Amino acid sequence: AASIITIGDELLIGQTIDTNSAWMAQELNKIGIWVKRRVAVGDSWNDIRDALNEESKQSQIILITGGLGPTADDITKPLLCEYFGGKMVVNEEKLQHVKYLFEEVLKRPLLERNLKQAEVPDVCKVLLNERGTAPGMVFEKDNRLYISLPGVPYEMKGLMTNDVLPMIQKRFPLLTIIHRNLVTAGIGESFLAEKIQDIEESLPENIKLAYLPNFGMVKLRLTGTGSNREETESAIEKYFLQLKERLRELVVTDQDLPLEQVVLELLKKNNMSLGTAESCTGGYLAHLITSIPGSSVVFRGSVVSYANDVKEKVLGVPDRVLNEHGAVSELTVKAMVNGALEQLRADVVIATTGIMGPGGGTTNKPVGMVWIGVGNKERVSTRLLQLRYDRSTNIQITAANSFNLLRQFILGEA
Amino acid sequence: AASIITIGDELLIGQTIDTNSAWMAQELNKIGIWVKRRVAVGDSWNDIRDALNEESKQSQIILITGGLGPTADDITKPLLCEYFGGKMVVNEEKLQHVKYLFEEVLKRPLLERNLKQAEVPDVCKVLLNERGTAPGMVFEKDNRLYISLPGVPYEMKGLMTNDVLPMIQKRFPLLTIIHRNLVTAGIGESFLAEKIQDIEESLPENIKLAYLPNFGMVKLRLTGTGSNREETESAIEKYFLQLKERLRELVVTDQDLPLEQVVLELLKKNNMSLGTAESCTGGYLAHLITSIPGSSVVFRGSVVSYANDVKEKVLGVPDRVLNEHGAVSELTVKAMVNGALEQLRADVVIATTGIMGPGGGTTNKPVGMVWIGVGNKERVSTRLLQLRYDRSTNIQITAANSFNLLRQFILGEA
């Protein structure tokens, strides 16, 4: 098993959200390494040392990120040097690379402290970081592997992919770890659990079921582990199919992809283009879709009509509809769909309008009231949500429901 | 000091990014509690028990989130009951609340397993969770406080604010912890460090300086701790002003707010409305702005013109400009600004067009080439970026640079 130690006060004061560990854990799982613990500690010699001591007791592979920069608050390198009883030496290959980076790529003068980036403990194997000045370092002690990587995600990912994962694959006996995910909508986790209780109780030791409620949906995850890939795969497949069959009418997707990507694939398959007309989601739908590489094949664009007269002028929502029914109404969301179909020349459009809070609610239209519309030239389907969360959660749940309504619309279920 | 333990396999396989801990750490810092360690462990009796044992050695306050749901994979409650030597009893107040939630709010039939949510160990103090069915629980042992909270962020936040923080404030001697942040743009962290080396070296023991490079900018954070609030404040203020003065020309903001919020305040102060015309940022600028409560006062909307003919039809970018100069060009970004000023009736507009990768690059216009434009009816300022990261990082850096260009434009510096 592996432990991940992340270093930096910013993690402990809540200034930074740790996305590195999640990515690393995913990649480790793919090659069959289970992550047992993740620990975040501050820029403190004692705390880092304690963490190294403890994780050595728990895991054979200890991955460490952060604290490798050129400034005084970066203490990981000298600390590891001391911890493993080495002394600092200049790594010639890294030195050439740092010089090259500054002269050819960054085109900045090279400072003394940048040259220091090429110094490494003489008791480690250096991994050449092509994406930055901080080196990757591998230490061994008592049959444990300690791998130190920069905290900059782009640099960490390069080293993981090119060096660390292949190295671990060669060195350690690997498990097979397989995750299968089923996203459901429509009922809560308690009801789901009732529906599949017999299947859950029949699961063998090496297959675990987890319930992950999120955004008004519930994701079910089966995780199977074993030493034989084929056996593990066929075992998990059997139970996964049982769940899928039992929950047939509730399944949103059986792939472990964000919902927007499931929908994007569906649009591609049906050769349909998409546009969005967003009031309360404020561009979030467009952002989720355009975050996916290659989305330009399907996505035409969005009109984010935050102000009412943008709804009128750009989307052509009739003045009368806005005045008589209000911006948050079924008629408005329908008119937004039709306006965007026309303006964006899209085959199908999602529109949203609602009150995300904390302000802006009224007695008739309280915070959390949202209309979603999905339509093409022939028809428009709508859905009304009444949400009761904070602004950011309300936006995320609206997005999840919008993509699900689009999915149902394309499949003829809405 | 405090430790935060988060429970759930989803954290260890990288399926979920832990945002709870960051929020909790921020709130704890505000009342003067330093978070020493954050640990994530899976849904395993042994691993949770180990974590409780270890964190008891490190901290006086141990906060635990997750694993309190109604399904079989949720083991935190029985585990804590055993760990603290109690037995399960029905909590009458919680029982009434669960019944009320199902009958009045969720309007769903109540299942046996939901009633189980009202069972708690008889050795804890129960915190009533008004936002859900999982209770908060407080245990004490050997002068240490163990607080178990649900993993659903909305529920956790409610309990922290209403119960946990006030309780900690009453029980523990509190430090003063003050963070001051300075975001700079224009030079790398090594050069910054050179420029302020004398100030950094003159810092007293209780004030720490951290360098946080991100999105092509560097955030400097001073953290001061002390027992006397006034003394700590005036000490940190002195050094903060020195840094600000020294780095005057590089400072983007001296507030600890996201850049979009800094810009939003500036727009409000100048009574200006904002619109965006987004190609490569795909709605991300609009999303960041509309994530801020009350942004509708300033924000008019966005045209996300992903397809070229949306740039033409909705934003009026001349066909000739697109054909002769291409979608990623200074002339196009200027035309996008002008089109959006007109369509969205905004006082000032940000426009972006570029190639975010991984595909879509050519020899003349490689992946990472981005044009940003900011303008009003009188003038348009543009900036060219050449980024070299992955798609998601390229989008984020473009957004940061866009908001900074807008800031400079409003201040007459661009």
Side-chain angles (χ1 to χ4, degrees):
Chain A
S3 286
I4 299 175
I5 303 175
T6 46
I7 296 173
D9 282 352
E10 66 275 17
L11 297 160
L12 297 179
I13 66 173
Q15 195 162 35
T16 310
I17 287 170
D18 173 25
T19 54
N20 277 350
S21 300
W23 186 87
M24 290 167 86
Q26 279 174 12
E27 298 302 309
L28 288 164
N29 271 210
K30 280 184 202 156
I31 65 163
I33 296 289
W34 184 257
V35 175
K36 196 179 175 196
R37 285 164 55 91
R38 288 169 38 186
V39 183
V41 293
D43 302 308
S44 139
W45 283 74
N46 284 336
D47 293 350
I48 301 173
R49 224 185 268 117
D50 280 0
L52 288 168
N53 286 336
E54 265 163 42
E55 299 316 311
S56 310
K57 288 179 213 147
Q58 301 272 358
S59 301
Q60 263 197 297
I61 302 169
I62 294 114
L63 289 148
I64 305 148
T65 62
L68 295 182
T71 53
D73 55 328
D74 294 303
I75 60 175
T76 303
K77 202 161 60 178
L79 184 144
L80 290 174
C81 186
E82 190 202 86
Y83 190 82
F84 293 103
K87 60 175 195 295
M88 296 296 258
V89 292
V90 172
N91 181 277
E92 198 50 44
E93 194 185 11
K94 188 75 214 168
L95 183 65
Q96 293 313 318
H97 181 65
V98 170
K99 285 185 177 167
Y100 161 79
L101 266 183
F102 273 78
E103 283 161 19
E104 305 292 327
V105 183
L106 301 169
K107 302 202 164 99
R108 289 188 196 148
L110 186 64
L111 301 173
E112 180 61 30
R113 67 173 74 230
N114 299 122
L115 289 175
K116 279 225 156 196
Q117 294 281 81
E119 285 184 12
V120 292
D122 60 355
V123 289
C124 76
K125 178 177 178 301
V126 176
L127 308 176
L128 187 65
N129 171 12
E130 290 178 356
R131 298 177 172 186
T133 57
M137 296 175 289
V138 183
F139 301 85
E140 282 200 58
K141 195 180 165 185
D142 301 336
N143 209 23
R144 268 150 186 68
L145 211 57
Y146 302 79
I147 303 161
S148 162
L149 300 170
V152 177
Y154 178 71
E155 300 181 18
M156 176 279 291
K157 288 179 186 177
L159 283 167
M160 279 290 285
T161 307
N162 297 330
D163 300 284
V164 177
L165 295 168
M167 180 172 63
I168 290 174
Q169 274 175 307
K170 262 187 229 151
R171 288 269 314 243
F172 292 91
L174 304 171
L175 271 175
T176 295
I177 304 174
I178 299 172
H179 306 292
R180 297 296 308 264
N181 293 275
L182 205 60
V183 177
T184 66
I187 66 176
E189 57 175 331
S190 306
F191 290 85
L192 271 182
E194 296 288 319
K195 267 186 182 292
I196 60 177
Q197 190 166 353
D198 57 326
I199 302 177
E200 182 166 11
E201 285 167 358
S202 75
L203 290 174
E205 267 292 296
N206 69 328
I207 298 184
K208 282 176 85 174
L209 174 66
Y211 295 78
L212 305 164
N214 208 4
F215 305 146
M217 302 185 182
V218 180
K219 184 184 272 190
L220 296 174
R221 187 193 64 235
L222 282 181
T223 299
T225 46
S227 49
N228 181 302
R229 174 160 290 271
E230 271 177 38
E231 273 173 33
T232 314
E233 256 171 16
S234 76
I236 205 167
E237 193 60 22
K238 175 180 140 197
Y239 293 101
F240 190 67
L241 288 176
Q242 286 182 17
L243 288 178
K244 235 171 98 169
E245 174 58 24
R246 180 75 55 84
L247 301 172
R248 201 173 345 114
E249 281 153 33
L250 306 167
V251 169
V252 172
T253 174
D254 62 357
Q255 296 170 276
D256 190 23
L257 293 176
L259 198 46
E260 58 273 17
Q261 200 160 351
V262 171
V263 170
L264 195 80
E265 296 302 323
L266 199 57
L267 288 163
K268 265 190 207 164
K269 223 176 74 184
N270 286 275
N271 210 10
M272 285 178 180
S273 66
L274 174 69
T276 64
E278 308 184 44
S279 183
C280 65
T281 47
Y284 188 54
L285 302 181
H287 166 59
L288 289 177
I289 292 166
T290 58
S291 294
I292 304 168
S295 49
S296 57
V297 177
V298 164
F299 191 59
R300 310 249 336 131
S302 177
V303 176
V304 180
S305 55
Y306 226 52
N308 270 354
D309 64 292
V310 173
K311 292 185 185 71
E312 233 180 287
K313 183 165 184 298
V314 185
L315 291 175
V317 178
D319 177 44
R320 188 185 42 78
V321 169
L322 286 169
N323 288 334
E324 285 174 23
H325 301 265
V328 181
S329 65
E330 188 173 20
L331 280 183
T332 294
V333 89
K334 282 185 172 177
M336 288 172 70
V337 169
N338 289 321
L341 284 169
E342 163 73 22
Q343 281 289 310
L344 301 172
R345 300 184 210 180
D347 295 324
V348 56
V349 158
I350 311 176
T352 62
T353 181
I355 302 145
M356 301 283 94
T362 63
T363 316
N364 289 334
K365 299 191 174 176
V367 168
M369 180 173 176
V370 176
W371 277 102
I372 303 173
V374 170
N376 58 19
K377 290 223 167 92
E378 282 75 46
R379 65 198 184 85
V380 180
S381 283
T382 61
R383 190 150 300 172
L384 174 65
L385 307 178
Q386 303 278 8
L387 306 174
R388 54 191 186 89
Y389 306 98
D390 55 26
R391 183 179 184 86
S392 132
T393 310
N394 286 339
I395 292 173
Q396 292 180 69
I397 295 186
T398 302
N401 278 280
S402 299
F403 290 124
N404 195 32
L405 186 60
L406 172 59
R407 185 187 65 84
Q408 293 170 316
F409 184 88
I410 298 172
L411 297 175
E413 296 169 6
Chain B
S3 287
I4 300 175
I5 302 176
T6 46
I7 296 173
D9 284 351
E10 65 276 18
L11 297 160
L12 297 180
I13 66 171
Q15 195 162 37
T16 311
I17 286 170
D18 171 25
T19 54
N20 278 350
S21 299
W23 185 88
M24 290 167 87
Q26 280 173 11
E27 297 302 309
L28 288 164
N29 272 209
K30 279 184 202 157
I31 65 163
I33 296 288
W34 184 256
V35 176
K36 197 179 174 197
R37 286 163 55 90
R38 288 170 38 187
V39 183
V41 293
D43 300 310
S44 138
W45 283 74
N46 285 336
D47 294 348
I48 300 173
R49 226 185 267 118
D50 279 359
L52 288 167
N53 286 337
E54 265 163 43
E55 298 316 310
S56 310
K57 289 179 212 148
Q58 301 272 357
S59 302
Q60 263 197 298
I61 302 168
I62 293 113
L63 289 148
I64 305 147
T65 61
L68 295 181
T71 53
D73 55 328
D74 295 302
I75 60 174
T76 303
K77 201 160 62 177
L79 183 144
L80 290 173
C81 187
E82 189 203 87
Y83 189 83
F84 293 103
K87 60 175 195 292
M88 295 296 261
V89 293
V90 171
N91 181 277
E92 198 50 44
E93 193 184 12
K94 188 73 216 170
L95 182 65
Q96 293 313 318
H97 181 66
V98 170
K99 285 185 178 167
Y100 160 80
L101 265 183
F102 273 79
E103 282 159 19
E104 305 293 328
V105 182
L106 300 169
K107 304 204 162 101
R108 288 187 196 149
L110 187 64
L111 302 173
E112 178 62 28
R113 66 173 74 227
N114 300 122
L115 289 175
K116 280 228 154 195
Q117 293 282 79
E119 286 184 12
V120 293
D122 60 355
V123 289
C124 77
K125 177 177 179 302
V126 175
L127 308 176
L128 187 65
N129 171 10
E130 291 178 355
R131 299 178 171 185
T133 56
M137 296 175 289
V138 183
F139 301 86
E140 282 199 58
K141 195 181 167 185
D142 300 336
N143 209 24
R144 267 148 188 70
L145 211 56
Y146 302 80
I147 303 161
S148 161
L149 300 170
V152 178
Y154 178 72
E155 300 181 19
M156 177 279 291
K157 287 179 186 177
L159 282 167
M160 278 291 284
T161 307
N162 298 331
D163 300 284
V164 177
L165 295 168
M167 180 174 62
I168 290 175
Q169 274 176 305
K170 261 186 228 152
R171 287 271 313 243
F172 291 92
L174 302 172
L175 272 175
T176 295
I177 304 174
I178 299 173
H179 305 292
R180 298 296 307 268
N181 293 275
L182 204 60
V183 177
T184 65
I187 65 176
E189 59 175 328
S190 307
F191 290 85
L192 271 181
E194 294 289 319
K195 265 185 182 298
I196 60 176
Q197 189 167 352
D198 57 325
I199 303 176
E200 182 165 11
E201 284 167 359
S202 75
L203 291 173
E205 268 292 294
N206 69 328
I207 299 184
K208 282 175 86 174
L209 175 65
Y211 295 78
L212 306 164
N214 208 3
F215 305 147
M217 302 184 183
V218 180
K219 184 184 274 190
L220 295 175
R221 186 192 66 234
L222 282 181
T223 299
T225 48
S227 48
N228 180 302
R229 172 162 292 272
E230 271 176 38
E231 273 172 32
T232 315
E233 256 171 15
S234 75
I236 204 168
E237 194 60 21
K238 177 181 139 198
Y239 293 101
F240 191 66
L241 288 175
Q242 285 182 18
L243 287 178
K244 235 171 98 170
E245 174 58 22
R246 180 73 56 85
L247 301 173
R248 202 172 347 114
E249 282 154 33
L250 306 168
V251 170
V252 172
T253 174
D254 61 358
Q255 297 170 277
D256 191 22
L257 294 175
L259 198 46
E260 58 272 17
Q261 201 160 348
V262 172
V263 169
L264 195 81
E265 295 304 324
L266 198 58
L267 288 162
K268 265 190 206 163
K269 224 176 74 185
N270 286 276
N271 211 11
M272 285 178 180
S273 66
L274 174 69
T276 63
E278 308 184 44
S279 183
C280 65
T281 47
Y284 188 56
L285 301 181
H287 166 59
L288 289 177
I289 292 166
T290 58
S291 294
I292 304 168
S295 49
S296 59
V297 178
V298 164
F299 191 60
R300 307 234 355 117
S302 176
V303 176
V304 179
S305 54
Y306 225 52
N308 271 353
D309 65 291
V310 174
K311 293 185 186 72
E312 232 181 287
K313 184 165 184 297
V314 185
L315 291 174
V317 178
D319 177 43
R320 188 184 43 78
V321 168
L322 287 169
N323 288 335
E324 285 175 23
H325 301 266
V328 181
S329 64
E330 188 173 19
L331 280 183
T332 295
V333 90
K334 282 185 170 176
M336 288 171 71
V337 169
N338 288 322
L341 284 168
E342 163 73 23
Q343 281 290 309
L344 302 171
R345 299 186 211 181
D347 296 324
V348 56
V349 158
I350 311 177
T352 61
T353 181
I355 302 144
M356 300 283 95
T362 62
T363 316
N364 290 335
K365 300 191 173 176
V367 168
M369 180 173 175
V370 177
W371 277 101
I372 302 173
V374 171
N376 59 19
K377 288 221 170 94
E378 281 76 48
R379 64 197 184 87
V380 180
S381 284
T382 60
R383 193 149 298 174
L384 175 64
L385 307 178
Q386 302 279 8
L387 306 173
R388 54 192 187 90
Y389 306 99
D390 54 26
R391 184 179 184 87
S392 134
T393 310
N394 286 339
I395 292 173
Q396 293 181 69
I397 295 186
T398 301
N401 278 280
S402 299
F403 289 125
N404 195 32
L405 186 61
L406 173 59
R407 186 187 64 84
Q408 293 170 317
F409 184 90
I410 298 172
L411 297 175
E413 297 168 6

